[in-house]
Amino acid sequence: MQNFTAVIERDETTGLFVGYVPGWPGAHSPKGPPSTNYTQNLEEVIAMLLEDGAPKLEGEFIGTQTVKVA
């Protein structure tokens, strides 16, 4: 079993959500309403991508940080 970090974002204009794996082009879920099961969508996409072999991640997700600007 492999673990991947996923990011979920909400589009301010449409209110739709999209999930993706940072550094892995193509590893994302389609935009959808808040009720969409992103975990299941991402699992299906990742499983399909893994059929072509292990990914070469272009980066590694480290975390988030709040930056305050006066």
Side-chain angles (χ1 to χ4, degrees):
M1 176 162 295
Q2 296 180 7
N3 294 310
F4 298 95
T5 299
V7 175
I8 307 298
E9 294 181 344
R10 182 176 63 84
D11 184 290
E12 278 291 317
T13 305
T14 65
L16 298 177
F17 291 92
V18 65
Y20 63 92
V21 177
W24 191 357
H28 62 276
S29 69
K31 287 187 177 180
S35 61
T36 304
N37 184 341
Y38 292 98
T39 302
Q40 182 178 354
N41 289 345
L42 283 170
E43 286 174 1
E44 292 170 3
V45 169
I46 290 170
M48 181 184 68
L49 292 171
L50 286 173
E51 290 176 3
D52 293 332
K56 281 191 160 184
L57 298 177
E58 295 176 355
E60 177 185 0
F61 179 79
I62 301 300
T64 63
Q65 181 173 348
T66 301
V67 178
K68 294 182 181 183
V69 180

